[in-house]
Amino acid sequence: MEAEELKVKSYITKYNNEKKALISILQEVQEEYNYLPQEVLKIVSKALGIPLIDIIGVATFYRAFSLEPRGKHLITVCLGTACHVRGGPKILEEFERKLNIDAGETSKDGQFSLETVACLGCCAIGPVVVIDGDYHAQITIRKVGSILKKHFKKE
Amino acid sequence: MRKIKKIKTIKDLEQSIQSQIQARKSEKKSVLTVSAGTCGQARGSLKVIKSLEKAIKEQNLEDKVKIKVTGCHGFCEAEPNIIVQPVNIFYQKVQPKDAKDITSETIINNKVIDQLLFTDLATGKKVSNENNIPFYKKQKRIILGDNTLIDPTDMDDYLSIGGYRSLVKALSDMTQEEIIETVKQSGLRGRGGAGFPTGYKWEFARKTKSDTKYIICNADEGDPGAYMDRSLLEGNPHRVLEGMIIGAFAIGAGEGYIYARDEYPLAVEHISLAISKAEEMGLLGKNILGTDFDFEVQIVKGAGAFVCGEETALIASVEGRVGEPRQRPPFPAVKGLWGKPTNINNVETWANIPLIIEKGAEWFSRIGTNGSKGTKIFSLVGKINNTGLVEVPMGITLREIIFDIGGGIPGGKDFKAVQTGGPSGGCIPKEMLDLPVDYESLAKVGSIMGSGGMIVMDENTCMVDVAKFFLNFLRDESCGKCISCREGTQRMWEIVTDITEGKGKKGDLEFLEALAKATRDASMCGLGQTAANPVLSTIRHFKDEYEAHIKDKKCPAGVCKELIQYSIIAENCTGCLACIKPCPQDAITGELKKVHVLDQSKCIKCGACYEACNFDAIKIE
Ligand SMILES: Cc1cc2nc3c(=O)[nH]c(=O)nc-3n(C[C@H](O)[C@H](O)[C@H](O)COP(=O)(O)O)c2cc1C
Ligand code: FES
C-alpha cells in the first residue's frame, strides 16, 4: 500500500492539497483505478482534511464516480432525447440480453460494465454507443451482436 | 507547428493578425477541410484523413493541396464530409476508398465527383457548392460558419480569419463601460436557457464592489439532445476564449473558469490547447498585451450531474462540493464563486461577443426580432432527414427549420411534434409549425428556447412516452434539496409510467396537472420550476394520446410495450426469412417463400423483426 499511497498523494500534491480540488482528484483516482477504492478515499480524506463521509457524499452525488469496481470493458449506451426517439432503449435491451446483465451492472467475470448516459453530444448520428472510448453511430438492434464480436474477438 | 514568439503589445497582435490574414489570402494550395469533431470521428473521418494523406503523398501533390482537420461542419447527417476550398465543393459521406479519386479527379483534373455530392431531396438534383445545399442555404452561420475554415488546434489559423481582432479593438479603442454598453445595445440574450440580457448581467457584476471577481463559461451542456457548445469548443475554442477575455476586461475579473461537461473529451482537449497557446502568446496571464489587465483561465471538468448546469450549483461544484443549487438572491453577480462577484455565461453567449465588438451593436441588432436579437444555433435531431447543427436568425419559423433546412421527416412519415428546450421545455405540435422561433413565442406555447435542442418526432413517437422519458431524467437528476422537486418529479413519473403500462385511471390527468403546478411553484431552482413543462405541454397539445392510453389501453404510436402487439401481415410477408434469425426468442417460424408465423406467447416486443423486415410485413398495434 505504501507505493499506492505515494501515487495517490502525488495526485493530491498536484492540486496543492487544496480542498476545492476534491472533484478533480477523485476524477484522477477514478481514471487510475476505474473506480474509487475505499482505501484510497481514506488517504484523500486525511490529506485534504475532509471527513470521509463528505467525500462519499460527493462521490455518490456525481454520476461519473463509481464506488464499485467496474468491468475491464466499458459499454455506454446513450439514452439522451435524440437517441431515445430513435430507439435507444431497444438498443440497451439488446445489450442487456446479449451480455446477460442489466444497465448499471458488471458481468460476473469482471469483463463488461454496461452503463447508460444522457447524451454524448453526437445526437445527429444516434443511437450512439461507446465501447472503450470508440464511438459507434446509428446502431440498430441487429448491429449490437456484430459490434460486440468485432470489439472482443481477440478475447 | 511553428513556435510563436510572445506578443508583447496590442500593436504586435494587430500585426500578427494582419500577416496571418495575408498568408491565408496568398495561399496557393487547394484545401481539403475534413470535418472531424466527435461526430465526424465516430463516422470514420480519421480514417479518411489517413487515406487522403497517403493519396497526396503517392501522387506527389504536396505543393498543390493540403488537408485541414476542422471541427464539426454542422451537417452531421453527411459525415464524414469534406469541403474542397477555395472552390467550395461539398463532398458527403466520404469513405477512405474515395480519397484517391478526390486527389486525382478533383485536385489534379478539377473535376467534380458526382457520387460524392449531396442530392437535394426536393428536386432529386446533385448539388456541388456548399452554399447551394438546402441545409445551408437558409442558415445564417455567423458563428458556426468559421468552424469550416479553421484548424481548431492552430491559433494562427484563427488569427488568419481575423480572430482576436475584437480583443485588439476592445483593449485599444474602448473603455470598459463602452464594451458593456455595446453588449447591452446589441440586445444579446443568454444562450444557456433563461435568455437574460447579457450586457445587463455584465453591468451588475462590474458595479459590485470587490477586489476579486470571476467569470465562468458554462460548458456543462446538460440538455440531452443539444451539442452546439461541444461543437464550438471543439471547432473554434479561441473564439470562446476571446469572448471571455473581453468580458473579463469589461467586468474587471482576474480569473475565469470553464466548466466543461465530463462526456466531452475532445472539447476539453481543444480548449485546453487554446488556453495554453493563448498563455504562451501573452493573451492570457499578467499584463496582457502590455496593459495592466491580468486574466487567467482554468478548466474544471464536471462529473456528470445535470443540475450542475444551474449557475449556483455549478459554483458549488467548482468549489469542490456537492452541486446543489442555492436560493437566489443574492445572485452570482453579487455573491458567486467563493463569495465574490461572478459572471456566468453560456459557451454560445461568449462566442457571440467578439462578433458584436467587431461589427457593432447596430449590426447585430438588425438580425432577429424585436425581443430576440442575433442568431441561435439549434441541434436539429431525432426523426429528421438532415440532422445536424443549424444556425438561424431568431424569428425564423419552425416550418422553415424543419422542412426547408431539415428536409422533413424520413421514410415518408408524418411530422408529429418538435421538442425544444430540453427537460425544461415542451413539445410543440404540427398546428404550430408557423411559430416564429424566439424567446417570447416559444414561451407562449408552453416551451422555452433553452439551450437549443430541437428534437423532431414523427407519428411513431409516443408523446406519453416522451413525457415519461423527461420525468425519468428529471427525477434522476433532481438533487433532492427541495421536497417538491424530489417527490413531485418522482410521483409524476410513477403516474405517467402507470399510464404507459395500461394502468391509467380516470382523473390521472387532472391530478398530474395539479402536481405539476405544485412542483413548479414550490421548487427553488429552474430544474424543479420547469420540470412540469414536458408533462403540461404534452397534455395540452396531445390529450387524445393520453386518453387513448388511459381509456382504450392503446398506444397509437406503437411504442408502449405493455399496450402493443407485434404481428405479421400475411399479405405483405414474402417469406424471406430475414426476421427469423434476429428474433432472440425464436418466436418467429417459417419457411422460404411461405408466410411466417409469430408466436405471441414467446414475443418480448424487442423490435428486432420490425427492424429486419424490408416489406412492411410486421405490424405494431
Ligand atoms: C437545471 C438547470 C440546468 C442548466 N444547465 C445549463 C447548461 O447546461 N448550460 C448552460 O449554459 N446553462 C444552463 N443553465 C442555465 C444557467 O443557470 C445560467 O442561467 C446560464 O449559464 C447563464 O448563461 P447565459 O446568460 O449566457 O445564458 C441551467 C439551468 C438550470 C436551472
Ligand atoms: S442524445 Fe444520444 S448523443 Fe445526444
Side-chain angles (χ1 to χ4, degrees):
Chain A
M1 200 60 204
E2 238 166 66
E4 287 304 316
E5 199 162 333
L6 279 177
K7 190 158 67 186
V8 175
K9 288 233 166 100
S10 77
Y11 299 143
I12 300 169
T13 40
K14 192 168 128 190
Y15 293 99
N16 304 324
N17 284 40
E18 285 187 286
K19 284 196 171 89
K20 67 169 188 187
L22 175 64
I23 295 172
S24 308
I25 292 166
L26 295 184
Q27 279 166 338
E28 300 226 3
V29 172
Q30 168 108 359
E31 197 140 300
E32 171 74 27
Y33 296 90
N34 219 359
Y35 77 111
L36 302 177
Q38 175 102 204
E39 289 309 306
V40 174
L41 293 187
K42 280 185 189 152
I43 303 173
V44 175
S45 160
K46 238 200 218 139
L48 293 181
I50 303 177
L52 186 61
I53 177 106
D54 289 348
I55 294 186
I56 303 269
V58 168
T60 50
F61 180 83
Y62 293 99
R63 183 186 302 276
F65 299 123
S66 167
L67 292 173
E68 302 288 326
R70 298 201 288 180
K72 204 167 129 205
H73 301 290
L74 183 59
I75 299 166
T76 313
V77 181
C78 180
L79 292 184
T81 322
C83 292
H84 180 88
V85 302
R86 285 195 180 177
K90 290 199 170 107
I91 305 300
L92 177 66
E93 286 165 17
E94 180 69 2
F95 273 106
E96 289 177 331
R97 277 193 297 272
K98 283 255 150 48
L99 297 170
N100 207 9
I101 47 175
D102 283 343
E105 290 181 351
T106 299
S107 62
K108 282 220 177 65
D109 59 3
Q111 284 291 311
F112 305 102
S113 284
L114 182 61
E115 295 185 357
T116 62
V117 64
C119 192
L120 295 151
C122 303
C123 325
I125 53 174
V128 182
V129 173
V130 183
I131 302 183
D132 293 339
D134 282 345
Y135 288 69
H136 297 270
Q138 291 177 326
I139 296 301
T140 57
I141 302 170
R142 279 177 301 164
K143 278 191 202 161
V144 170
S146 61
I147 42 173
L148 278 176
K149 249 188 229 143
K150 208 172 90 194
H151 252 272
F152 302 114
K153 63 177 172 225
K154 287 148 253 155
E155 273 131 76
Chain B
M1 209 193 297
R2 188 167 55 88
K3 188 159 163 53
I4 306 169
K5 267 210 321 261
K6 190 162 175 155
I7 299 176
K8 295 209 182 71
T9 65
I10 299 175
K11 249 202 144 54
D12 284 353
L13 176 58
E14 219 174 334
Q15 270 166 12
S16 299
I17 297 169
Q18 281 314 324
S19 73
Q20 289 303 334
I21 291 177
Q22 279 314 318
R24 176 177 281 263
K25 272 198 189 134
S26 52
E27 175 67 78
K28 294 266 164 2
K29 292 183 197 173
S30 297
V31 184
L32 299 171
T33 34
V34 189
S35 176
T38 305
C39 43
Q41 295 191 7
R43 281 280 187 85
S45 59
L46 295 181
K47 283 189 193 129
V48 173
I49 293 167
K50 276 224 173 84
S51 316
L52 284 171
E53 282 167 351
K54 200 165 145 227
I56 291 173
K57 216 163 163 196
E58 279 170 8
Q59 300 172 31
N60 289 319
L61 293 173
E62 282 96 343
D63 299 335
K64 278 198 89 166
V65 63
K66 68 175 188 188
I67 299 171
K68 186 173 285 189
V69 181
T70 68
C72 175
H73 293 174
F75 198 0
C76 307
E77 182 60 32
E79 292 298 357
N81 60 60
I82 293 181
I83 304 172
V84 188
Q85 283 158 340
V87 283
N88 248 356
I89 302 170
F90 185 88
Y91 287 144
Q92 63 151 358
K93 300 186 180 165
V94 179
Q95 296 302 312
K97 65 172 171 44
D98 301 322
K100 265 197 193 130
D101 291 344
I102 294 176
T103 48
S104 55
E105 291 296 308
T106 308
I107 300 302
I108 301 179
N109 297 327
N110 285 321
K111 272 200 341 227
V112 176
I113 305 168
D114 260 10
Q115 308 89 274
L116 294 178
L117 293 180
F118 177 80
T119 311
D120 184 345
L121 290 171
T123 61
K125 287 208 179 92
K126 301 264 184 195
V127 190
S128 123
N129 194 305
E130 181 202 351
N131 302 324
N132 294 335
I133 293 177
F135 177 78
Y136 288 120
K137 236 185 192 163
K138 271 210 175 167
Q139 294 193 43
K140 189 166 179 63
R141 308 199 332 137
I142 55 178
I143 297 174
L144 214 49
D146 289 350
N147 269 24
T148 60
L149 300 176
I150 55 166
D151 172 353
T153 63
D154 181 359
M155 181 156 163
D156 283 353
D157 225 19
Y158 182 63
L159 297 182
S160 79
I161 56 164
Y164 286 113
R165 210 158 38 182
S166 305
L167 180 63
V168 169
K169 185 168 169 187
L171 291 183
S172 53
D173 302 343
M174 296 172 88
T175 64
Q176 290 151 303
E177 288 78 11
E178 278 167 357
I179 296 172
I180 292 181
E181 195 52 34
T182 305
V183 178
K184 268 163 76 175
Q185 291 300 326
S186 74
L188 174 68
R189 295 172 64 174
R191 303 298 193 232
F196 193 84
T198 305
Y200 288 88
K201 201 192 261 187
W202 286 18
E203 191 167 53
F204 293 139
R206 168 155 179 79
K207 284 198 172 149
T208 311
K209 288 206 167 49
S210 171
D211 49 350
T212 314
K213 290 179 189 175
Y214 300 101
I215 62 164
I216 295 177
C217 170
N218 189 342
D220 197 41
E221 193 152 71
D223 171 2
Y227 61 105
M228 57 291 296
D229 294 348
R230 168 181 76 72
S231 171
L232 285 171
L233 287 177
E234 277 179 13
N236 199 351
H238 280 289
R239 181 171 184 147
V240 179
L241 210 51
E242 184 178 4
M244 288 181 72
I245 301 173
I246 295 170
F249 173 69
I251 291 163
E255 266 179 73
Y257 287 85
I258 297 175
Y259 189 85
R261 186 172 162 83
D262 183 42
E263 284 85 2
Y264 289 175
L266 193 66
V268 170
E269 191 186 317
H270 285 183
I271 188 71
S272 310
L273 208 65
I275 292 172
S276 33
K277 205 75 210 175
E279 280 169 353
E280 199 181 299
M281 298 245 316
L283 299 185
L284 287 173
K286 293 240 173 298
N287 299 106
I288 292 170
L289 298 174
T291 64
D292 58 3
F293 165 49
D294 306 336
F295 181 57
E296 281 169 20
V297 176
Q298 283 179 47
I299 297 175
V300 174
K301 263 190 354 177
F306 171 68
V307 74
C308 287
E310 195 279 337
E311 52 191 25
T312 59
L314 187 151
I315 287 171
S317 184
V318 174
E319 291 173 354
R321 295 183 286 123
V322 164
E324 277 178 0
R326 63 155 176 79
Q327 193 70 257
R328 297 175 309 176
F331 286 93
V334 176
K335 225 168 164 218
L337 197 56
W338 293 295
K340 303 289 181 188
T342 303
N343 178 78
I344 303 188
N345 280 119
N346 165 264
V347 174
E348 192 182 334
T349 313
W350 289 117
N352 268 290
I353 299 299
L355 205 67
I356 291 170
I357 297 301
E358 186 192 336
K359 304 213 169 170
E362 221 237 316
W363 175 86
F364 187 83
S365 64
R366 277 203 301 266
I367 309 169
T369 65
N370 254 346
S372 310
K373 301 295 184 193
T375 61
K376 177 77 194 87
I377 307 176
F378 291 99
S379 63
L380 191 57
V381 295
K383 307 283 190 67
I384 180 98
N385 274 315
N386 302 334
T387 56
L389 290 178
V390 304
E391 183 181 351
V392 288
M394 298 271 194
I396 192 171
T397 66
L398 284 169
R399 187 185 302 281
E400 288 172 282
I401 298 180
I402 294 166
F403 288 91
D404 299 346
I405 297 173
I409 317 301
K413 302 259 162 123
D414 271 342
F415 168 84
K416 185 188 267 182
V418 58
Q419 207 279 345
T420 72
S424 311
C427 294
I428 303 169
K430 184 155 72 187
E431 298 73 45
M432 296 182 178
L433 270 172
D434 292 308
L435 190 80
V437 176
D438 58 54
Y439 292 98
E440 286 73 25
S441 308
L442 287 170
K444 244 185 252 158
V445 300
S447 188
I448 57 163
M449 175 83 71
S451 55
M454 208 173 252
I455 291 107
V456 180
M457 303 171 178
D458 69 3
E459 56 189 277
N460 291 352
T461 314
C462 169
M463 302 315 289
V464 187
D465 176 69
V466 167
K468 179 170 82 171
F469 165 82
F470 280 114
L471 286 170
N472 186 34
F473 177 84
L474 288 162
R475 90 187 162 107
D476 210 26
E477 295 292 349
S478 167
C479 76
K481 191 167 170 174
C482 307
I483 184 166
S484 53
C485 174
R486 184 179 70 226
E487 297 302 325
T489 52
Q490 173 72 22
R491 268 308 280 145
M492 284 193 281
W493 174 75
E494 285 166 7
I495 296 168
V496 173
T497 302
D498 276 351
I499 295 176
T500 60
E501 291 177 353
K503 292 181 262 176
K505 307 180 295 292
K506 195 167 165 270
D508 273 358
L509 293 187
E510 292 71 25
F511 186 47
L512 263 178
E513 277 173 319
L515 199 54
K517 285 181 185 137
T519 308
R520 180 187 66 198
D521 295 342
S523 301
M524 189 181 66
C525 92
L527 193 148
Q529 286 161 1
T530 59
N533 282 351
V535 184
L536 290 177
S537 72
T538 45
I539 296 183
R540 177 163 155 195
H541 300 304
F542 300 94
K543 201 163 195 165
D544 49 340
E545 246 185 281
Y546 276 90
E547 280 173 351
H549 285 73
I550 297 171
K551 284 197 196 125
D552 312 334
K553 312 291 174 206
K554 283 232 154 42
C555 174
V559 172
C560 299
K561 261 189 172 179
E562 276 74 7
L563 306 180
I564 56 168
Q565 208 176 48
Y566 283 78
S567 58
I568 292 173
I569 307 172
E571 303 89 79
N572 291 1
C573 180
T574 61
C576 72
L577 306 176
C579 59
I580 293 184
K581 205 169 139 235
C583 178
Q585 295 297 102
D586 297 326
I588 304 179
T589 48
E591 293 167 35
L592 194 64
K593 296 200 176 150
K594 284 197 185 135
V595 172
H596 301 339
V597 183
L598 195 159
D599 180 350
Q600 292 296 342
S601 67
K602 286 187 183 164
C603 178
I604 54 167
K605 301 166 193 171
C606 73
C609 55
Y610 185 78
E611 189 189 285
C613 180
N614 292 318
F615 302 97
D616 286 331
I618 305 283
K619 186 163 70 179
I620 309 173
E621 60 179 356

